[in-house]
Amino acid sequence: MKLSDYRIEPADYKADFKDLRAVRDSVFIIEQHLPADLEQDGKDPHSHHVIARDNHHNPVGTGRLTPEGQIGRIAVLHQWRNQGVGQSLLRVLIEKAQKQGLNQITLETPASASGFFQKFGFIGEGEAFNVAGNEFQRMSMTLTPLAERRRQSAKPRETSVPAEKLDNLEAHLESAIRLITEARRQICIYTRDLEHGLYGHNDVVEAFRQFAINSRDGCVQIIVQDTFAARGKPHALIDLAQRLPSSFQLRTPVEREDQQYSSAFLINDRDGYLFRLNAERYQGEWSPNHPARKKQLYEEFDRIWQRCRPCTEFRALGI
């Protein structure tokens, strides 16, 4: 049975405690009959948690990475299995471990599920062991940490820079790369169809890749109006988002007024922006530092973002 789509997001153990417990209790305590005192340990408050939610914000899956590099508590509600949820949770946790610079990660899984983890490169260690009547297998995987390049100390912000007019694709590429490169933790994009000439350009995609690797907990939020056109041909930015799913979030409008929004823009958290009044033309303006205009665009973006739905059209690409 094909269910509605889902999304993977970081979870705060305190704020999301009830949702994490709802999934884990159902899978580990009720289904697998693990004692509650074994399932609930002292590592939870110090671990990095992720949660899978459906389009109604209901929790459907969980996972965690402990400070020691152990992946665990991957649980998916019964009705959501065979939908790719477990794979998505595992990919995000592996990527998190790489970003932390870990050289190895481990896990302990029911022996019957060891084949699932072998597909990702995990190797069994030692003999299977018994926990509360269940046979478990310890597994490990060697990681190649994502290269982390030290950034220079941020320079004090300059005074507001007057907007500069842009009238061709080359000028847009240069401005976009600078805005992406100078971003610290957040980039927001409103685009009609992930314009291939701009966001699919090799230099722009490389700038996004470096941002995702070097910015801990950084996020690129993208609103795509026409998802059909965006996935009409191979797109390097979509491929990158597939490989680094925890760094990219894509949504699409559902309200008519948002679907008819005719402009396009890119903003960063350094008060820079790139704006085109008509998304069909490479004529616009930009500034590397214009707090007032950037704030206006961010408020517009956030209002629309809250009304959007996840881009389920990219599901087959693993996003």
Side-chain angles (χ1 to χ4, degrees):
M1 181 176 65
K2 177 71 174 179
L3 299 176
S4 58
D5 217 294
Y6 63 90
R7 65 184 184 277
I8 308 295
E9 58 187 36
D12 180 275
Y13 185 66
K14 291 183 178 179
D16 298 302
F17 178 82
K18 291 184 178 180
D19 287 344
L20 293 170
R21 288 257 55 88
V23 176
R24 286 166 51 172
D25 287 356
S26 175
V27 174
F28 297 125
I29 297 178
I30 297 177
E31 287 188 37
Q32 298 182 11
H33 307 293
L34 292 178
D37 59 344
L38 287 179
E39 199 286 320
Q40 302 171 18
D41 59 27
K43 297 181 180 180
D44 270 334
H46 310 291
S47 298
H48 173 78
H49 296 265
V50 291
I51 191 166
R53 296 185 183 277
D54 64 17
N55 286 344
H56 301 289
H57 202 65
N58 298 314
V60 301
T62 68
R64 79 178 187 188
L65 174 68
T66 71
E68 298 78 25
Q70 184 176 54
I71 287 178
R73 302 308 191 264
I74 295 181
V76 179
L77 295 181
H78 179 76
Q79 64 270 31
W80 276 88
R81 291 167 195 168
N82 300 314
Q83 305 285 326
V85 181
Q87 296 180 33
S88 297
L89 288 164
L90 182 57
R91 286 194 187 99
V92 171
L93 290 171
I94 292 173
E95 180 189 327
K96 180 66 177 180
Q98 289 178 301
K99 282 190 173 183
Q100 291 181 350
L102 297 178
N103 296 314
Q104 185 183 60
I105 49 178
T106 63
L107 57 83
E108 294 177 353
T109 178
S112 59
S114 61
F116 168 80
F117 294 101
Q118 287 175 351
K119 294 178 181 178
F120 287 84
F122 284 89
I123 300 174
E125 291 186 348
E127 300 294 329
F129 56 95
N130 190 281
V131 177
N134 295 279
E135 190 176 63
F136 277 73
Q137 176 67 54
R138 180 179 173 85
M139 308 185 78
S140 66
M141 182 171 72
T142 300
L143 295 179
T144 301
L146 295 174
E148 184 169 350
R149 184 177 61 189
R150 287 190 176 184
R151 295 186 174 216
Q152 295 180 349
S153 300
K155 297 180 180 179
R157 292 190 179 184
E158 302 175 355
T159 56
S160 180
V161 178
E164 177 183 341
K165 297 295 183 182
L166 304 174
D167 59 5
N168 57 65
L169 175 58
E170 289 71 22
H172 278 73
L173 288 169
E174 183 179 346
S175 301
I177 291 170
R178 179 171 171 184
L179 292 176
I180 297 166
T181 302
E182 293 183 353
R184 292 177 298 183
R185 297 184 62 185
Q186 185 181 34
I187 298 171
C188 300
I189 299 172
Y190 197 105
T191 170
R192 184 178 65 83
D193 59 1
L194 277 177
E195 300 98 310
H196 196 279
L198 179 59
Y199 295 117
H201 192 279
N202 289 339
D203 293 341
V204 172
V205 175
E206 176 60 20
F208 276 120
R209 190 182 76 85
Q210 291 297 329
F211 169 81
I213 291 173
N214 295 326
S215 177
R216 289 186 180 275
D217 300 321
C219 184
V220 181
Q221 296 174 282
I222 307 175
I223 297 176
V224 185
Q225 280 184 320
D226 189 345
T227 56
F228 180 81
R231 63 192 177 102
K233 59 181 178 180
H235 200 298
L237 183 56
I238 294 178
D239 293 341
L240 178 65
Q242 178 186 8
R243 297 196 301 273
L244 301 173
S246 66
S247 297
F248 291 84
Q249 297 179 18
L250 291 91
R251 294 189 181 185
T252 189
V254 295
E255 300 290 340
R256 185 174 180 180
E257 63 177 298
D258 301 334
Q259 294 170 340
Q260 295 179 339
Y261 186 77
S262 60
S263 301
F265 58 85
L266 179 155
I267 57 178
N268 68 12
D269 55 0
R270 296 290 293 174
D271 291 334
Y273 80 94
L274 171 60
F275 176 82
R276 305 200 316 272
L277 182 63
N278 187 336
E280 302 289 337
R281 301 176 182 176
Y282 285 111
Q283 295 178 339
E285 62 180 35
W286 90 291
S287 171
N289 185 6
H290 199 303
R293 182 60 171 142
K294 181 262 181 174
K295 179 181 179 182
Q296 182 184 43
L297 289 172
Y298 179 76
E299 290 176 349
E300 179 74 8
F301 180 90
D302 191 55
R303 282 195 297 269
I304 299 175
W305 180 265
Q306 298 303 324
R307 298 193 292 259
C308 288
R309 65 169 175 81
C311 280
T312 57
E313 294 82 352
F314 299 132
R315 171 72 178 279
L317 298 173
I319 299 176

